Amino acid sequence: MERIIKVGIVQQKCVADIELNKQKLAANIKEVVEKGARLVVLQELHNSLYFCQVESVDNFGLAEPIPGPSTKFYGEIAAQYGIVLVTSLFERRAPGVYHNTAVVFEKDGSIAGKYRKMHIPDDPAYYEKFYFTPGDLGFNPIKTSLGVLGVQVCWDQWYPEGARIMALKGAEILIYPTAIGFESSDAKEEKQRQLNAWMTVQRGHAVANGLPVVAVNRVGLEPDPSKQTNGIQFWGNSFVVGPQGEFLAHAGDVEEENIVADVDLTRSENVRRWWPFLRDRRIDKYEDLLKRFAD
């Protein structure tokens, strides 16, 4: 028996006006719902510009508690349309303690669960360690009326360990709100290699775990407030793949796009029967994974 979820992905450009971003997101959510989406996924830190291009204490003012104003806003949207909604917020947990947090809403607008980003990058133009305390909720899937969601955030998508743990704990679909793009000085060939690597590693999570993967990225150029770089050209390319890494939906690299894809969760059962990777894992030989480096 097929168990198909219509998944809506919203690939959006962001501006400095938070309220404008939220209202545009509300309109884009409405559009994918009208196309049939029942599960809607938004990009990373969608309320604002990607503020981590610089280290500024003023940016902590963008954070808010959970629950808070944004959870009220998005919860009301989820309830209005009767959808499961995956959002990505800058959480103010306490003075001096902030997280990059994905919040999942149930169809009635209640909070089904949240996930705090575990892997925090610190690269040129991605100074996230300045802002975010590493997550402490672990890799725990969130149960919803549509299925069990293995939600992680951006930099987490490069790590097979998180995807595997989510799968082992019963996740039925892996979801990655994302904010990633090109540094303008990189050569065209290098940019293409980076983009291909980003898609390949996540398609690998799908194959290795026999699960669909949803990755939703922002798009457009966001200037560097410090003017030390030319800003980040977010590369879009949001996508949905099935449990063999097959593309079910794939957005472009320039424009905002609202896309709906059919995801058949019953395919995972068949794929795992054909390729029983979980059965054949040598769990008695993986102790080195708990070391920083096995030297």
Side-chain angles (χ1 to χ4, degrees), residues 60 90-91 93 96-101 115-122 128-139 153 155-156 292:
F60 288 109
F90 187 12
E91 178 186 8
R93 185 177 180 181
V97 182
Y98 304 83
H99 295 281
N100 187 333
T101 302
Y115 168 86
R116 289 175 174 149
K117 187 172 181 176
M118 295 283 280
H119 302 97
I120 311 297
D122 188 42
E128 295 196 14
K129 280 187 168 62
F130 181 80
Y131 295 102
F132 306 129
T133 302
D136 57 358
L137 299 178
F139 300 102
V153 178
W155 195 234
D156 294 320
R292 178 64 62 189

Side-chain angles (χ1 to χ4, degrees), residues 7-22:
V7 178
I9 58 177
V10 175
Q11 175 175 289
Q12 180 172 305
K13 297 177 181 178
C14 288
V15 295
D17 188 325
I18 291 175
E19 188 59 31
L20 184 60
N21 291 327
K22 291 169 68 175

Side-chain angles (χ1 to χ4, degrees), residues 4-191:
I4 295 176
I5 296 178
K6 288 189 175 293
V7 178
I9 58 177
V10 175
Q11 175 175 289
Q12 180 172 305
K13 297 177 181 178
C14 288
V15 295
D17 188 325
I18 291 175
E19 188 59 31
L20 184 60
N21 291 327
K22 291 169 68 175
Q23 292 305 319
K24 188 161 72 167
L25 283 164
N28 288 333
I29 292 168
K30 181 175 186 289
E31 181 177 323
V32 293
V33 168
E34 289 174 345
K35 294 177 180 178
R38 308 314 303 157
L39 168 63
V40 180
V41 182
L42 307 182
Q43 63 209 31
E44 183 184 19
L45 299 172
H46 46 66
N47 278 6
S48 66
L49 292 170
Y50 180 73
F51 52 86
C52 306
Q53 290 196 67
V54 295
E55 296 182 351
S56 171
V57 294
D58 292 340
N59 285 332
F60 288 109
L62 296 170
E64 58 183 90
I66 296 173
S70 283
T71 57
K72 182 177 185 295
F73 178 80
Y74 293 108
E76 289 175 352
I77 292 175
Q80 177 183 356
Y81 297 121
I83 58 172
V84 173
L85 178 63
V86 180
T87 66
S88 175
L89 304 175
F90 187 12
E91 178 186 8
R92 181 188 184 275
R93 185 177 180 181
V97 182
Y98 304 83
H99 295 281
N100 187 333
T101 302
V103 181
V104 178
F105 296 90
E106 190 45 271
K107 293 178 181 179
D108 62 359
S110 62
I111 294 177
K114 64 183 180 181
Y115 168 86
R116 289 175 174 149
K117 187 172 181 176
M118 295 283 280
H119 302 97
I120 311 297
D122 188 42
D123 300 319
Y126 295 87
Y127 299 113
E128 295 196 14
K129 280 187 168 62
F130 181 80
Y131 295 102
F132 306 129
T133 302
D136 57 358
L137 299 178
F139 300 102
N140 290 300
I142 297 170
K143 294 181 179 179
T144 75
S145 56
L146 292 179
V148 184
L149 311 183
V151 180
Q152 298 174 74
V153 178
C154 199
W155 195 234
D156 294 320
Q157 66 205 179
W158 297 94
Y159 294 84
E161 297 90 346
R164 177 70 90 204
I165 293 170
M166 287 291 194
L168 294 176
K169 289 186 175 181
E172 296 177 290
I173 184 169
L174 300 175
I175 296 174
Y176 297 97
T178 301
I180 190 169
F182 299 122
E183 208 291 311
S184 60
S185 64
D186 285 334
K188 180 179 180 180
E189 295 79 8
E190 176 59 24
K191 290 178 180 179

